[in-house]
Amino acid sequence: MIVREENENDAAAVCSVVEEAFAQRDEALLVDRIRQDGDAVISLVAEVDNAVVGHVMLSPMSAPFRALGLAPLSVLPGHQNQGIGAALTTAAIARAMADGWTAIFVLGDAAYYGRFGFRADLAAGFSSPYAGPHFMVLPLGDTLDAMSGKVDYAPAFGTLA
């Protein structure tokens, strides 16, 4: 398996991966909208035998510091539980750190994302339409510049039903 930057030739494969991973089209349309809006700051794919089997996208969030939102993370059902999602997440975090971002927010399973350092308790001080026990943040430095404030995902997320 290799993890690499998504390129323009990957769009159809990424759409298929996201749609199959979520068993619906909404998240695939979200990925397309984020791309069209120019908000895909980090977009990585995982390949196995020259086929795209996973994808992760990070887009800028409105926040009191430089923050990204990780969403969606997708792996084809037949390739799940093989470390592909973890490899994509780890690579995305490393890229965000290298690019000087302060934090990454995610809405997801605490048991899964917690192993990468995402914490719901640190996100609890932030107001968001997604606030709750599944809303987490990963500081990319020693501390966050602020422990509270309003945060929200890129505008494309407002199109989700």
Side-chain angles (χ1 to χ4, degrees):
M1 176 201 44
I2 63 163
V3 174
R4 63 168 176 79
E5 294 284 329
E6 176 188 354
N7 65 52
E8 63 277 355
N9 298 323
D10 294 324
V14 166
C15 181
S16 180
V17 166
V18 176
E19 191 171 333
E20 287 185 50
F22 285 92
Q24 63 177 5
R25 186 134 174 85
D26 290 349
E27 283 78 6
L29 294 172
L30 173 64
V31 167
D32 286 342
R33 175 75 190 274
I34 292 169
R35 256 196 233 106
Q36 289 168 3
D37 290 351
D39 286 333
V41 173
I42 298 171
S43 189
L44 306 174
V45 296
E47 283 186 338
V48 173
D49 297 327
N50 296 315
V52 174
V53 299
H55 175 257
V56 66
M57 183 174 274
L58 283 79
S59 54
M61 294 187 70
S62 63
F65 42 78
R66 289 187 75 223
L68 293 169
L70 188 160
L73 170 64
S74 311
V75 178
L76 286 175
H79 290 272
Q80 292 176 2
N81 300 309
Q82 297 175 21
I84 294 169
L88 284 163
T89 302
T90 300
I93 291 168
R95 171 76 186 280
M97 288 179 76
D99 290 349
W101 291 90
T102 302
I104 302 172
F105 285 86
V106 70
L107 181 66
D109 179 46
Y112 183 81
Y113 288 103
R115 63 185 167 150
F116 303 102
F118 286 91
R119 294 178 45 188
D121 63 326
L122 293 181
F126 295 97
S127 65
S128 168
Y130 303 98
H134 300 288
F135 188 62
M136 296 165 277
V137 65
L138 171 67
L140 298 178
D142 293 336
T143 59
L144 294 176
D145 298 338
M147 295 304 293
S148 64
K150 182 172 174 24
V151 296
D152 204 355
Y153 284 90
F157 286 85
T159 64
L160 285 176

